[in-house]
Amino acid sequence: MSLPYYGGMRHIHVTPGSFDQACGEIRNLSDAEVQKVLEFIGRLKAERRPSDETAGTADALLRHAGRFSFNEGERERLLSAVIEMREVAER
């Protein structure tokens, strides 16, 4: 079984089958229960958002080490953009 795609990217940190299992469980809930699940997901996502103080810091990036995945050619474009920004900053 291949891993699910989100936004055109394959996320390797998703456990195979767990996404399908969760969706199957949600399909068996009432509309009111599904609303509660959506509210819970919203709370979870709000908790993991970095604060303004940590956003963009090296520590914030390092928490995601090993989790990055890129579409074909995207990593090379990002690296090129970083190198170009460094060159501009050095001038």
Side-chain angles (χ1 to χ4, degrees), residues 24-44:
E25 293 294 332
I26 291 170
R27 284 186 190 96
N28 292 325
L29 298 176
S30 69
D31 289 345
E33 292 171 320
V34 170
Q35 186 58 42
K36 288 180 182 179
V37 170
L38 291 173
E39 291 168 4
F40 175 73
I41 291 170
R43 287 193 306 272
L44 278 178

Side-chain angles (χ1 to χ4, degrees), residues 9-13 62-70:
M9 296 175 60
R10 183 184 305 264
H11 289 272
I12 60 174
H13 61 282
L62 290 175
R63 283 196 307 265
H64 298 283
R67 296 185 185 179
F68 297 110
S69 60
F70 300 93

